[in-house]
Amino acid sequence: MKIRFFLLGTENHVSVSRTENELKQIFASCLSDDGDIQSFDTIRDATTDIAKAVTDSHVLVFISDTEQYATTKKMLSKAFGFTLACDSALLGKACETLGKDTGEEDGDFSVAHAFVPRNAKTFVLPDGLYSGFSVANGNQTIILLPLEKARTSVLVCSQVVPYLNASYHVNISADALKKYNGDRLYEALSLRNVSLAVAGTNTANFLKEYLSLEERPEGKVVISPLAEKRGNLQPVDYVVNLSITAAELMSCPYSVAISNAFYTGDSPESEKIVYLAVSNERETAVREIRSLPGEDISSFLGRCCGDLCVFVCDVLSDDDAFKTDIKTRESAAVKRYKIAIAAASAVLVALLIFIAVYFTANSYSIGTWYDNFMEWVFPAGNPLDDLFGRDPGADESTEGTTEQGITSIFTTEAAATEEASTEEEASSEVFTEENTASGNEQFVVG
């Protein structure tokens, strides 16, 4: 059996590549080449490829964006010649889900949610939104599904696969998606040579079974034996704490926590929420996964485990990009510093060369330049001399002058004394001569 897929309106979906990969894994036995899954903006853009697929495929699957879902239904009806009719039960469920009045006229709303071909197999969840279908067209089967991340995956795995297996007696298995997600996770961890710690919650055992850890290389995914009680913590804070604690306890650079399923209503049929947390050395990221109407716990947790595998791979890729960006920034900074240092060095060398040439050409010395500079700055005299005292040379000169003055004083005094002594001696001689002349003998003592 050969199947062709046409994804319509993919420009509004950033996760379309993941949808394509999931389809490739689930329907690998029914796809011949990569061209069997194609993406287009509208069904009109796919006209040529649809015409070709009609000639060589058993099943044509159209997965259309919800914004153009009604238009796609109408065009498929015209192209393949089947008539659409309103299913009042589906319309009532859709109006109840969206809080819309059933008596209000809205053609596109009714077509998108409730119009299906007569006697067709209907693919729809209990909320009645965006009903899909399968209708026979000669020897071919035409299938239409909404392109909405979680809804598409649930419809394909829970309704389309069983229908095709029963109709064409094939053995398509959605379990191939488990192996694919597990392989991606282990390849990402092995490529970076890191391990992943898992907080030991009740859902950790479900994740262990999903990944089939017994068949995987040991040491890449390790389950923490402990998990603290939630207490009064909010679910988001709880899974963050669980994830960080698991990383510390198991000494792993990466860790995850998957919470139990929290009911938003009072009954098991109410919406359920699971929180996923992934931690690295820088931060912890959290995602919220909500169940779809009619999705059982086992299927919901399986989808959460698949999302967790993709989540971890996204974090690993983001870390690679972050590290690359850091290295790029560091290299750019080093380059800028080198350029700045080289430029500063060049300016300094040029300045030194200019000064040397200028001084040489003008027969200048550093001392001459300094004196001229200080005279230019302080034309009335350098005030700094008063702040720091007189010149040492001047002090020495003054000191010498003082010493000479003192010496001259003492020399003058000595000369005066000597002169006085001479005068006294002369006087003595005079008195002696006079006394001798008079005949009286005189004695001078002293």
Side-chain angles (χ1 to χ4, degrees):
M1 182 181 68
K2 181 176 176 59
I3 301 178
R4 291 285 300 272
F5 288 89
F6 298 91
L7 306 183
L8 310 175
T10 54
E11 71 279 2
N12 298 325
H13 299 267
V14 295
S15 61
V16 67
S17 59
R18 179 182 173 185
T19 302
E20 292 180 1
N21 289 330
E22 290 181 354
L23 293 174
K24 288 179 182 178
Q25 300 306 315
I26 296 173
F27 299 98
S29 60
C30 304
L31 303 174
S32 57
D33 54 53
D34 292 338
D36 288 344
I37 300 178
Q38 295 177 282
S39 297
F40 301 91
D41 290 340
T42 66
I43 192 172
R44 293 181 184 276
D45 300 327
T47 302
T48 302
D49 293 273
I50 292 173
K52 180 181 178 181
V54 170
T55 63
D56 63 3
S57 302
H58 299 91
V59 180
L60 276 64
V61 181
F62 298 88
I63 305 178
S64 175
D65 176 54
T66 55
E67 291 186 2
Q68 54 181 276
Y69 201 58
T71 301
T72 301
K73 274 188 180 182
K74 295 175 183 178
M75 295 194 68
L76 287 177
S77 174
K78 292 179 180 179
F80 292 101
F82 55 81
T83 303
L84 295 172
C86 181
D87 186 321
S88 58
L90 290 178
L91 181 60
K93 290 180 180 179
C95 290
E96 180 182 354
T97 301
L98 299 178
K100 190 177 179 65
D101 186 1
T102 55
E104 183 179 349
E105 291 291 334
D106 190 339
D108 285 344
F109 178 89
S110 299
V111 172
H113 300 294
F115 275 66
V116 293
R118 298 182 184 279
N119 302 320
K121 169 64 178 177
T122 303
F123 302 126
V124 65
L125 296 179
D127 58 5
L129 301 181
Y130 303 107
S131 60
F133 56 79
S134 173
V135 62
N137 180 49
N139 295 327
Q140 291 177 321
T141 300
I142 309 300
I143 294 177
L144 175 65
L145 299 172
L147 180 57
E148 196 179 64
K149 184 181 176 182
R151 188 178 296 271
T152 302
S153 179
V154 171
L155 287 174
V156 167
C157 294
S158 64
Q159 299 185 25
V160 175
V161 168
Y163 169 77
L164 290 176
N165 286 339
S167 300
Y168 288 89
H169 306 289
V170 291
N171 189 26
I172 301 170
S173 176
D175 288 342
L177 203 54
K178 291 184 180 181
K179 184 177 184 307
Y180 170 70
N181 288 329
D183 288 345
R184 279 192 63 193
L185 175 61
Y186 271 82
E187 287 173 4
L189 295 173
S190 299
L191 179 63
R192 296 162 180 83
N193 194 28
V194 295
S195 55
L196 179 71
V198 180
T201 59
N202 294 333
T203 48
N205 292 326
F206 197 91
L207 177 64
K208 180 179 179 180
E209 180 183 350
Y210 182 91
L211 295 175
S212 301
L213 294 184
E214 292 79 4
E215 303 173 5
R216 302 281 186 178
E218 293 184 1
K220 289 302 177 184
V221 177
V222 291
I223 308 294
S224 171
L226 300 175
E228 61 180 303
K229 299 298 182 180
R230 177 188 168 194
N232 296 325
L233 289 175
Q234 293 296 320
V236 173
D237 297 329
Y238 179 54
V239 293
V240 169
N241 288 348
L242 286 176
S243 181
I244 295 174
T245 302
E248 295 174 349
L249 184 63
M250 307 306 293
S251 299
C252 294
Y254 295 92
S255 59
V256 300
I258 178 170
S259 73
N260 296 329
F262 295 96
Y263 291 88
T264 59
D266 298 330
S267 66
E269 289 75 24
S270 61
E271 182 185 50
K272 296 167 282 292
I273 301 176
V274 165
Y275 295 94
L276 310 177
V278 178
S279 300
N280 58 15
E281 296 176 347
R282 295 181 292 110
E283 59 187 2
T284 298
V286 179
R287 287 183 183 176
E288 178 185 275
I289 311 298
R290 293 178 176 270
S291 67
L292 293 173
E295 189 176 16
D296 60 82
I297 289 289
S298 179
S299 298
F300 176 49
L301 290 179
R303 183 161 63 87
C304 291
C305 290
D307 285 349
L308 182 61
C309 292
V310 176
F311 192 5
V312 174
C313 291
D314 290 343
V315 170
L316 292 172
S317 298
D318 290 343
D319 275 3
D320 291 342
F322 176 79
K323 293 175 182 177
T324 301
D325 182 62
I326 290 296
K327 290 181 179 179
T328 302
R329 290 176 181 270
E330 290 177 349
S331 299
V334 170
K335 185 177 181 180
R336 287 195 299 269
Y337 293 150
K338 289 181 177 179
I339 293 174
I341 292 173
S345 301
V347 171
L348 180 60
V349 169
L351 180 60
L352 293 175
I353 292 174
F354 170 77
I355 292 173
V357 172
Y358 180 80
F359 274 42
T360 302
N362 293 274
S363 301
Y364 259 33
S365 66
I366 296 297
T368 304
W369 174 84
Y370 176 77
D371 292 339
N372 292 339
F373 176 76
M374 294 304 291
E375 184 179 353
W376 176 75
V377 175
F378 305 110
N382 189 355
L384 299 179
D385 290 342
D386 295 334
L387 295 176
F388 298 103
R390 290 176 296 177
D391 184 61
D395 293 341
E396 292 178 1
S397 176
T398 305
E399 182 180 354
T401 304
T402 304
E403 290 178 355
Q404 291 175 0
I406 294 172
T407 303
S408 62
I409 291 171
F410 281 104
T411 303
T412 303
E413 290 179 352
T417 304
E418 184 178 353
E419 183 179 352
S421 300
T422 304
E423 290 179 354
E424 289 179 357
E425 289 177 359
S427 299
S428 298
E429 291 177 357
V430 172
F431 280 107
T432 302
E433 290 177 355
E434 290 178 350
N435 290 332
T436 303
S438 61
N440 296 324
E441 188 177 355
Q442 299 284 335
F443 292 95
V444 178
V445 181

